[in-house]
């Protein structure tokens, strides 16, 4: 029994840690701690380097993005001013032809992160925020400008052409229908070297007055001279007086009814042409206002951007 106990005691003694074991354990812990710290430092260094490189790429991309934004604004301003000039000339000179500038668009905004315009370097005062807000509102107002302007002119031309085709019935009043009535109601034709004069029955006051109005129209060079010079004067000084005169012989004179109907059609067509032209010009003015507002807001943005310390 004593012998077995001694053997067991001897075994316990043999496996007890000595100073070297404790030193080895401590050294192992120190090496592990150093390895962990070194790995952390290396990982942090790699992370910081990658973050720095990533920040440089982001900064470069942002700078390129904002440069594209500014260049696009410059081009938009240039083309907007040209379009305004063309539209104003169209109104002032009553021209049917207008120049279209398809480059007036805001497609470049899809390549711009709007938040970059509002970064901390650009928001040093509330005035800058207001300037950017007003700029964006004016730009988005041009979202469908090209299609809207083309649609406006297309619709105007179509409507105007429709009413203009009716207005051309004035030619019947001056020529075809008049000559047909002369052929039907003339009692005698007096021929001179320069013209043929129709003579009507003494009681045919309608044709006498009709002929008088027509003759006065042809001798008025402000109305007709190598062709029709003034549609407005033709209507005011010939068509409407003819309408009023022909009413006096309705309903007993069938030809007076026909002439009055044609004159009414010409007058109505002229009024419709004037009405749609007025509405068209108002629409053009609205487009001009949108462009001029955008140009003004672009100028404000550029001026604010150039001020020292306002924008980064």
């Amino acid at each position: 029994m004593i012998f077995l106990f001694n053997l067991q005691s001897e075994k316990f003694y043999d496996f007890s840690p000595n100073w070297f074991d404790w030193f080895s354990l401590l050294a192992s812990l120190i090496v592990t701690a150093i390895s962990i710290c070194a790995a952390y430092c290396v990982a942090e260094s790699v992370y910081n380097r990658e973050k720095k490189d990533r920040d440089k790429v982001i900064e470069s991309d942002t700078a390129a993005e904002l440069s594209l934004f500014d260049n696009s604004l410059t081009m938009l301003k240039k083309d907007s001013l040209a379009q305004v000039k063309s539209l104003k000339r169209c109104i002032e000179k009553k021209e049917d032809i207008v120049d279209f500038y398809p480059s007036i668009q805001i497609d470049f905004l899809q390549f711009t992160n709007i938040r970059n315009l509002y970064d901390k370097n650009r928001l040093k005062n509330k005035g800058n925020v207001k300037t950017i807000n007003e700029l964006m509102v004016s730009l988005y107002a041009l979202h469908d400008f090209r299609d809207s302007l083309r649609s406006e002119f297309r619709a105007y031309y179509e409507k105007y052409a429709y009413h203009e085709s009716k207005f051309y019935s004035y030619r019947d009043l001056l020529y075809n229908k008049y000559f047909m009535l002369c052929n039907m109601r003339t009692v005698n034709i007096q021929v001179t070297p320069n013209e043929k004069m129709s003579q009507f029955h003494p009681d045919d006051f309608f044709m006498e007055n009709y002929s008088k109005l027509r003759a006065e129209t042809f001798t008025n060079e402000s109305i007709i001279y190598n062709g029709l010079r003034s549609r407005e004067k033709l209507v005011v000084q010939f068509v409407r007086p003819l309408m009023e005169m022909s009413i006096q012989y309705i309903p007993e004179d069938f030809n007076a009814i026909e002439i009055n109907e044609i004159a009414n059609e010409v007058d109505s067509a002229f009024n419709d042409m004037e009405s749609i032209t007025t509405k068209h010009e108002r629409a053009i003015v609205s487009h001009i206002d949108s462009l001029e507002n955008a140009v003004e807001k672009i100028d404000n943005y550029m001026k604010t951007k150039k001020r020292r310390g306002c924008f980064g």
Side-chain angles (χ1 to χ4, degrees), residues 27-274:
S28 176
L29 292 175
I30 292 174
V31 170
T32 301
I34 292 175
S35 299
I36 293 174
C37 291
Y40 173 79
C41 292
V42 171
E44 184 180 29
S45 175
V46 172
Y47 171 79
N48 289 335
R49 184 172 63 253
E50 292 180 348
K51 182 177 182 299
K52 185 176 180 180
D53 293 340
R54 185 168 60 252
D55 290 343
K56 286 183 178 180
V57 172
I58 293 175
E59 182 179 355
S60 176
D61 291 344
T62 300
E65 180 182 293
L66 295 179
S67 177
L68 173 63
F69 178 78
D70 291 344
N71 291 336
S72 298
L73 288 182
T74 301
M75 292 300 300
L76 178 61
K77 174 186 173 181
K78 177 183 176 181
D79 293 337
S80 294
L81 290 174
Q83 185 69 79
V84 167
K85 182 179 179 180
S86 177
L87 292 176
K88 286 184 175 180
R89 183 180 68 247
C90 177
I91 294 178
E92 294 171 358
K93 298 185 177 181
K94 305 295 181 181
E95 294 182 353
D96 295 332
I97 300 177
V98 63
D99 298 324
F100 288 97
Y101 292 83
S103 52
I104 298 179
Q105 43 80 22
I106 59 170
D107 294 346
F108 62 89
L109 289 181
Q110 64 182 312
F111 304 109
T112 304
N113 186 347
I114 305 302
R115 289 179 297 180
N116 290 331
L117 298 175
Y118 291 91
D119 64 25
K120 61 182 180 180
N121 293 325
R122 294 170 177 258
L123 300 180
K124 295 192 174 182
N125 60 63
K126 293 182 179 179
N128 295 342
V129 178
K130 182 179 179 182
T131 298
I132 296 176
N133 287 342
E134 291 178 346
L135 172 65
M136 299 313 299
V137 170
S138 67
L139 291 180
Y140 281 115
L142 301 179
H143 173 66
D144 60 346
F145 179 85
R146 291 177 298 179
D147 294 337
S148 177
L149 184 62
R150 288 184 180 276
S151 296
E152 169 59 34
F153 274 90
R154 187 181 300 111
Y156 170 69
Y157 290 148
E158 291 176 356
K159 294 178 181 178
Y160 194 89
Y162 171 76
H163 295 295
E164 188 177 41
S165 65
K166 293 185 175 182
F167 175 79
Y168 284 138
S169 295
Y170 80 85
R171 295 168 179 170
D172 290 333
L173 299 176
L174 289 175
Y175 304 104
N176 297 349
K177 196 64 180 179
Y178 175 76
F179 292 138
M180 289 175 62
L181 295 183
C182 286
N183 181 268
M184 293 169 53
R185 303 172 70 140
T186 296
V187 296
N188 185 34
I189 297 178
Q190 185 178 13
V191 179
T192 64
N194 296 324
E195 61 181 344
K196 295 180 180 180
M197 299 289 295
S198 295
Q199 294 180 344
F200 305 102
H201 194 279
D203 296 333
D204 195 349
F205 299 110
F206 169 68
M207 286 304 297
E208 288 289 345
N209 292 328
Y210 188 179
S211 299
K212 181 180 179 181
L213 276 173
R214 181 178 177 276
E216 291 174 352
T217 301
F218 275 102
T219 56
N220 189 337
E221 293 185 356
S222 66
I223 300 177
I224 296 178
Y225 183 77
N226 293 330
L228 181 61
R229 302 185 67 178
S230 173
R231 292 180 172 181
E232 182 179 4
K233 290 184 177 181
L234 175 71
V235 170
V236 173
Q237 299 183 33
F238 173 68
V239 177
R240 290 173 184 169
L242 182 60
M243 288 169 53
E244 296 175 0
M245 183 273 293
S246 61
I247 290 176
Q248 303 175 27
Y249 306 97
I250 297 174
E252 60 271 16
D253 192 324
F254 177 75
N255 296 137
I257 296 175
E258 290 182 310
I259 295 301
N260 184 267
E261 183 178 357
I262 297 174
N264 266 291
E265 181 178 288
V266 173
D267 185 54
S268 296
F270 177 78
N271 291 334
D272 289 336
M273 289 160 59
E274 291 293 295

Side-chain angles (χ1 to χ4, degrees), residues 20-33:
F20 183 77
D21 295 329
W22 287 108
F23 176 77
S24 298
L25 177 63
L26 181 60
S28 176
L29 292 175
I30 292 174
V31 170
T32 301

Side-chain angles (χ1 to χ4, degrees), residues 12-22 25:
F12 276 105
Y13 177 78
D14 290 342
F15 288 93
S16 298
N18 54 29
W19 66 272
F20 183 77
D21 295 329
W22 287 108
L25 177 63

